[in-house]
Amino acid sequence: MDEKDVRLREAAEKLALTLAQGGMQKTTARVMTALLFSQDDTMTASDLCEVLQISSGAVSGAVKQLIPTGIIERAPAPGSRRDHYRFREHAWATLMGSQNVLLATMGDAAAEGIKAAGRESTAGRRLDEMEDFYAFMQREMAALIDTWQERYDARHPSA
Amino acid sequence: MDEKDVRLREAAEKLALTLAQGGMQKTTARVMTALLFSQDDTMTASDLCEVLQISSGAVSGAVKQLIPTGIIERAPAPGSRRDHYRFREHAWATLMGSQNVLLATMGDAAAEGIKAAGRESTAGRRLDEMEDFYAFMQREMAALIDTWQERYDARHPSA
DNA sequence: CAGACTGTTTACAGATCTCTGAACACTCGA
DNA sequence: TCGAGTGTTCAGAGATCTGTAAACAGTCTG
């Protein structure tokens, strides 16, 4: 039983490292993967301090970043005075969905450039393709996530 | 004519700033958007130095990061001893496609965890959803990019 | 209301990153 | 083969980021 936990922790740290490489804050990533790979349904701040060997301030900061993104949430814990955090149901879909604002930003930037240069110029042609691509992606990505959600719900009847 | 260029440069810097916020290297982002919003087809390293007010070393570093991702490329420039850089055709599709390795990494991490914990546990159930999601996304995303490429080519006959 | 228990904020220290400037390497033409 | 013109690398300075420890604030219990 303990053996399994060690392997889970290793997998968690490994993923955290990868995500950190990709621009995510290191501690934020570690907190996220700790909750993701935890065998407990929820963890308290002090649990996270202990497992990750970091201060409470660091946990507070990481949580503050993670909650607005919809990856984790505070879980109601009647009878306990400590905050309990848990990985959110369908967090991945939420996370991927939030990419849409980035896609929109890219599209807007392209539009801005086109407004300045027109479509019939060197920059204009480049930006035209860019605008088209991101508009398409924004539309289709949202649809894709919905599709997955539906299929998943159909396969896993929650009622 | 000069007025337009100023607005283009502003748009470029604005997007670079946004991308930098999102984890991208600041200088790398600036080089990328400079090429993207440029009215010239290609730019030399010294062009980039001048426009962005950075050293040649910084340009070299940024280019070194940008080329492997497929966003920019060295352009053949007969008769010139300087390297000419240009934004790649269909760079966006390439860039989005490279997200697939990230999606695969996420799927692998989930599988790793499942191997350690089994599917019938608290962590196992979370990881099962994660694995399913990323497998789905990896598959469909690739298809999506192909679809766009086909449609775009159909609309813009290159021959 | 006092006191214990948590979570949050903040100044500071340590680490990390990134750019610059200069040395170095390479290529081409005379 | 030399020299000019470019690109690349690297040590070091400067800036940025991040975690800690401690002070602070809020909340529940007795």
Side-chain angles (χ1 to χ4, degrees):
Chain A
M1 193 54 176
D2 210 42
E3 170 62 25
K4 285 186 183 180
D5 288 358
V6 172
R7 286 180 61 194
L8 274 177
R9 286 259 64 243
E10 280 171 3
E13 288 297 325
K14 186 174 153 196
L15 179 58
L17 206 66
T18 304
L19 293 174
Q21 230 101 39
M24 193 172 187
Q25 207 110 347
K26 197 172 95 186
T27 304
T28 306
R30 294 185 71 213
V31 167
M32 173 183 142
T33 59
L35 286 162
L36 172 59
F37 286 83
S38 168
Q39 282 291 17
D40 300 317
D41 190 49
T42 69
M43 292 178 79
T44 67
S46 52
D47 289 340
L48 289 165
C49 288
E50 191 177 355
V51 172
L52 302 177
Q53 298 283 21
I54 56 178
S55 73
S56 65
V59 171
S60 180
V63 159
K64 198 174 173 180
Q65 276 194 296
L66 251 14
I67 288 184
T69 66
I71 299 178
I72 71 170
E73 63 187 351
R74 287 203 169 76
S80 171
R81 289 176 59 179
R82 301 182 182 185
D83 280 358
H84 288 244
Y85 300 105
R86 95 151 74 95
F87 213 84
R88 269 193 66 189
E89 200 81 16
H90 302 324
W92 304 116
T94 306
L95 188 60
M96 186 68 62
S98 73
Q99 290 275 328
N100 264 12
V101 322
L102 209 230
L103 297 178
T105 302
M106 298 299 278
D108 291 349
E112 188 99 5
I114 291 170
K115 221 164 53 184
R119 284 180 204 276
E120 298 308 322
S121 64
T122 306
R125 274 180 287 277
R126 263 196 303 262
L127 294 167
D128 184 61
E129 179 184 327
M130 175 175 168
E131 189 186 31
D132 188 80
F133 179 78
Y134 281 105
F136 176 83
M137 276 297 152
Q138 205 184 337
R139 198 166 1 102
E140 296 299 326
M141 190 81 105
L144 215 53
I145 294 170
D146 287 347
T147 302
W148 176 80
Q149 192 77 262
E150 283 168 22
R151 287 197 199 171
Y152 189 85
D153 288 347
R155 246 181 308 156
H156 299 256
S158 54
Chain B
M1 193 54 176
D2 209 40
E3 168 64 25
K4 284 185 181 179
D5 288 358
V6 173
R7 285 179 62 193
L8 274 177
R9 287 259 64 243
E10 280 171 3
E13 288 297 326
K14 186 174 152 195
L15 179 58
L17 206 66
T18 304
L19 293 174
Q21 230 100 38
M24 194 172 187
Q25 208 112 341
K26 197 171 96 187
T27 303
T28 305
R30 293 184 72 213
V31 168
M32 172 183 142
T33 59
L35 286 163
L36 172 59
F37 285 83
S38 167
Q39 283 291 19
D40 299 317
D41 190 48
T42 69
M43 291 178 80
T44 67
S46 53
D47 288 341
L48 289 165
C49 286
E50 192 178 354
V51 171
L52 302 176
Q53 297 282 19
I54 57 180
S55 73
S56 65
V59 171
S60 180
V63 160
K64 198 175 174 180
Q65 275 195 296
L66 251 14
I67 287 183
T69 67
I71 298 178
I72 71 172
E73 64 187 351
R74 286 202 170 76
S80 171
R81 287 177 60 177
R82 301 184 182 182
D83 280 0
H84 287 244
Y85 301 105
R86 94 151 76 94
F87 212 84
R88 268 194 67 189
E89 202 80 14
H90 303 323
W92 304 117
T94 306
L95 188 60
M96 186 70 61
S98 73
Q99 289 277 323
N100 264 14
V101 322
L102 209 229
L103 297 178
T105 302
M106 297 299 278
D108 291 348
E112 188 100 4
I114 291 170
K115 220 165 52 183
R119 282 180 205 275
E120 297 308 322
S121 64
T122 307
R125 274 180 288 276
R126 263 195 303 262
L127 294 168
D128 184 63
E129 180 184 326
M130 176 175 167
E131 190 186 32
D132 187 82
F133 180 78
Y134 281 104
F136 177 84
M137 275 298 152
Q138 205 183 336
R139 196 164 2 103
E140 296 298 326
M141 190 81 104
L144 215 53
I145 294 170
D146 287 346
T147 302
W148 177 80
Q149 191 78 262
E150 283 169 22
R151 288 196 198 172
Y152 190 84
D153 289 346
R155 246 181 308 157
H156 299 255
S158 54

